């Protein structure tokens, strides 16, 4: 790969135009907006968009742009609104995007029709298992085609819940770094680096538990899998299959573990339940901006050729003992928090990469 792919602003502009402003981009999870009027302000590439649940409980995606003079109608990252009222001249839009009222409407004359001035919808929107995607292009492959084999991994991730549903209401852990967005994508699917970048973390586990964690050494049977369309998986399943019995023996000894296992078996049957327990915490990249790792939804937002923002959403499972969800959150924090023992080291690598390539 030529180094310019990470440093050239023209290439970055082309990525925005051809990838982020044309293809399918992950915008948010329906679990972030469970009730009518719940909204989330987010982005597709450079475009500001509002994801909102309307009065019929449908998820809607709108451009954050008043149909009068293009003011951004929403300024808050999240919340609940009965309507979106533009601050400039007071045009007010319903939660389904319809224009509800215009101050001094008579001034526009008889030809003015409110029906013609609703909020502009994102041209295409589709959901898979609660994951909401948008495309700024009215034409192109379907979301189903874009996801392809990645759907099986999303299923595993969501089916960790005995109710088949995620809760995404534990806040967002945000970080930024001064380097290209693609470093985060590559790193998340890179099985080569952990023994080096995360050496301190792996050693501390060994010290505490006596178990040598080394799923990444040269003779590891794990592998990186190409699903097409840019979608990638770091596949530990061969390792996990080799440790199946050990993994299944540990679960019932953890708080809430026995009840959780029983709930999964009741819902999915023994075989699928075991598959979920062993492989549910997947390691998946859905190109270009969604990563699922363990318990977390990770969203990558390029800002410029050498500036990136990343949002991590630790998820909870519906229908599991509370101890299980607490364990998910504590585990997430220990590796990914600002004082976590893993993620900050990766970010340092991205910035050193950018220095080298520049
Ligand atoms: Fe929104 Fe005028 S720009 S009401
Ligand atoms: Fe890492």
């Amino acid at each position: 790969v030529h180094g310019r792919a990470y440093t050239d602003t023209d290439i970055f502009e082309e990525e925005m135009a051809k990838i982020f402003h044309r293809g399918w981009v992950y915008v948010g999870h329906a679990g972030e907006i469970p009730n009518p009027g719940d909204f989330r302000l987010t982005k597709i590439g450079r475009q500001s968009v509002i994801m909102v649940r309307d009065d019929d409980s449908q998820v809607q995606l709108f451009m954050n742009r008043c149909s009068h003079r293009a003011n951004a109608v929403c300024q808050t990252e999240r919340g609940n609104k009965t309507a979106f009222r533009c601050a400039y001249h007071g045009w007010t839009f319903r939660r389904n995007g319809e224009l509800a009222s215009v101050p001094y409407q008579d001034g526009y004359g008889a030809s003015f029709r409110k029906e013609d001035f609703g909020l502009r919808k994102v041209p295409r929107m589709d959901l898979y298992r609660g994951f909401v995607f948008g495309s700024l292009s009215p034409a192109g492959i379907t979301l189903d085609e874009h996801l392809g084999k990645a759907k099986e991994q999303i299923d595993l991730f969501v089916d960790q819940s005995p109710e088949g549903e995620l809760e995404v209401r534990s806040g967002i852990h945000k970080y930024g770094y001064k380097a290209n967005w693609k470093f985060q994508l590559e790193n998340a699917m890179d099985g080569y680096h952990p023994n080096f970048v995360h050496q301190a973390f792996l050693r501390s586990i060994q010290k505490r538990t006596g178990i040598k964690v080394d799923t990444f050494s040269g003779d590891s049977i794990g592998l990186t899998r190409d699903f097409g369309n840019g979608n990638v998986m770091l596949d530990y399943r061969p390792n996990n299959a080799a440790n199946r019995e050990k993994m299944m023996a540990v679960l019932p000894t953890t708080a809430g573990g026995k009840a959780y296992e029983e709930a999964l078996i009741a819902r999915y049957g023994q075989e699928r339940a075991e598959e979920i327990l062993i492989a549910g915490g997947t390691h998946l990249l859905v190109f270009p901006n969604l990563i699922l790792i363990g318990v977390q939804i990770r969203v990558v937002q390029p800002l410029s050729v050498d500036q990136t923002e990343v949002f991590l959403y630790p998820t909870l499972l519906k229908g599991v003992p509370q101890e299980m969800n607490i364990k998910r959150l504590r585990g997430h924090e220990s590796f990914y928090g600002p004082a976590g023992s893993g993620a900050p080291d990766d970010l340092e690598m991205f910035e050193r990469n950018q220095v080298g390539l520049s």
Side-chain angles (χ1 to χ4, degrees), residues 29 31-32 165-170 314-319 325:
H29 194 277
E32 293 176 72
E165 242 180 278
L166 298 177
E167 283 185 4
V168 191
R169 53 173 180 82
S170 305
T315 60
L316 304 180
L317 304 176
K318 277 196 185 163
N325 277 329

Side-chain angles (χ1 to χ4, degrees), residues 66-71 73 86-91 93:
C66 179
S67 46
H68 179 222
R69 297 283 296 275
N71 236 245
V73 294
C86 180
Y88 205 177
H89 314 95
W91 285 30
F93 302 88

Side-chain angles (χ1 to χ4, degrees), residues 245-256:
E245 275 171 36
K246 274 190 225 155
M247 290 174 78
M248 292 306 292
V250 169
L251 183 66
T253 67
T254 63

Side-chain angles (χ1 to χ4, degrees), residues 270-289:
Q270 181 78 32
E271 203 179 322
R272 174 71 174 165
E274 275 197 31
E275 190 186 359
I276 292 165
L277 286 171
I278 283 171
T282 180
H283 220 108
L284 174 75
L285 163 67
V286 177
F287 191 77
N289 69 332

